[in-house]
Amino acid sequence: MRTTGAKDAVSVLFIEDDEVIGRHVEAGLRSHGYAVNWTRTGGSGLAEAARLPTDVVLLDLGLPDMDGIDVARQLRDEHSNVLILILTARSEEIDVIVGLDAGADDYLVKPFSLTVLLARLRAHLRRRPPAPAGPGEPIRIGDLTVDITARRCLLGDREVELRPKEFELLAILVRHPGEAVSRESLMAEVWDENWFGPTKTLDVTMSSLRRRLQAAASAYPPVALPALTTLRGHGYRLDPPGPLDGN
Ligand code: CA
């Protein structure tokens, strides 16, 4: 399960029996704000994944009790949303292919640097579709967080001040990332369900929303900001930032 709250750390389940690599990676991830749960066997990893909400699994393939591929397969079966990165000392292509077939999202060949691991994690976490936020939970897309209940918009950890209509417009678009939303439905939801007149006010509000987000982003680079794309003759679409955008 992917956490969506701005203050919630991404939770990483780290399954690795090598003490040296384990300590190094655990400390590195912690110092970069990840919540790390390190376990040394496949069996205990599966148990931990069942016990605690987990965003990411870093999975060593060479484990003492189980084949890492089987662990990956079981994790994927039981936790469809979790991001699985396999770590392999065996650079043979076959391990990687079998691992990806088993449901892993990506792999790193040992020895890997912490910098590469962190960059890979950031890229994957940005690319992932936002978890369906529960009612009242903030929606996070790239570095943008929209908390509809609290009426707050954050870029990274910084507040972005929006006018009421700008906020309402953004709140609709973030609920449908990657989907076209028609002008009519935006007008109806944000302004007035009986609106039949000109819709210039929508474009003006969209422009000022874009300006405010861009201004906030340029004050806080590098930032992964979703794009507000104009669909001529139809409406708008919020596009999640691509991998490594703004990175
Ligand atoms: Ca190992």
Side-chain angles (χ1 to χ4, degrees):
M1 185 190 127
R2 172 105 167 80
T3 51
T4 50
K7 287 180 205 128
D8 298 333
V10 172
S11 59
V12 178
L13 172 60
F14 181 31
I15 309 174
E16 168 65 79
D17 61 315
D18 185 302
E19 288 291 324
V20 175
I21 296 173
R23 271 198 299 274
H24 173 67
V25 170
E26 182 191 41
L29 289 175
R30 285 232 167 98
S31 73
H32 284 80
Y34 291 88
V36 187
N37 179 12
W38 175 22
T39 175
R40 283 132 177 107
T41 64
S44 59
L46 290 169
E48 287 301 286
R51 191 173 72 84
L52 291 171
T54 301
D55 299 310
V56 179
V57 178
L58 288 184
L59 172 64
D60 176 35
L61 286 187
L63 292 167
D65 61 329
M66 288 175 74
D67 187 331
I69 298 290
D70 293 331
V71 179
R73 194 170 288 122
Q74 214 167 315
L75 282 168
R76 181 51 76 219
D77 284 350
E78 288 161 16
H79 311 277
S80 58
N81 284 326
V82 77
L83 172 68
I84 304 174
L85 262 72
I86 50 180
L87 309 174
T88 175
R90 301 169 284 180
S91 57
E92 288 91 344
E93 205 173 28
I94 188 70
D95 285 333
V96 169
I97 293 167
V98 172
L100 296 176
D101 278 348
D105 297 281
D106 200 359
Y107 67 97
L108 285 170
V109 175
K110 292 179 185 173
F112 54 86
S113 76
L114 190 61
T115 314
V116 168
L117 170 61
L118 290 166
R120 222 49 100 70
L121 283 175
R122 280 196 304 272
H124 278 288
L125 291 169
R126 280 175 188 166
R127 233 179 307 176
R128 286 167 79 71
E137 279 183 37
I139 300 170
R140 188 165 183 192
I141 301 176
D143 290 335
L144 179 74
T145 303
V146 178
D147 185 338
I148 292 168
T149 311
R151 283 190 80 93
R152 295 179 76 196
C153 173
L154 298 160
L155 201 52
D157 52 6
R158 301 205 190 176
E159 194 97 31
V160 184
E161 298 292 340
L162 297 178
R163 295 199 177 120
K165 295 298 188 198
E166 294 164 356
F167 184 86
E168 288 161 32
L169 202 49
L170 182 63
I172 293 171
L173 293 169
V174 295
R175 280 196 291 250
H176 306 278
E179 293 173 27
V181 183
S182 72
R183 298 178 64 85
E184 290 72 24
S185 67
L186 289 170
M187 288 306 299
E189 285 194 60
V190 177
W191 279 272
D192 181 341
E193 55 185 298
N194 298 313
W195 187 278
F196 294 112
T199 56
K200 180 126 188 77
T201 181
L202 169 59
D203 302 299
V204 172
T205 307
M206 183 61 78
S207 301
S208 73
L209 171 60
R210 278 195 185 116
R211 270 198 308 277
R212 283 177 204 274
L213 292 175
Q214 284 298 341
S218 57
Y220 177 50
V223 72
L225 183 65
L228 298 168
T229 305
T230 303
L231 305 168
R232 282 175 68 91
H234 182 78
Y236 293 94
R237 186 184 63 225
L238 181 140
D239 290 313
L244 299 177
D245 269 12
N247 183 29

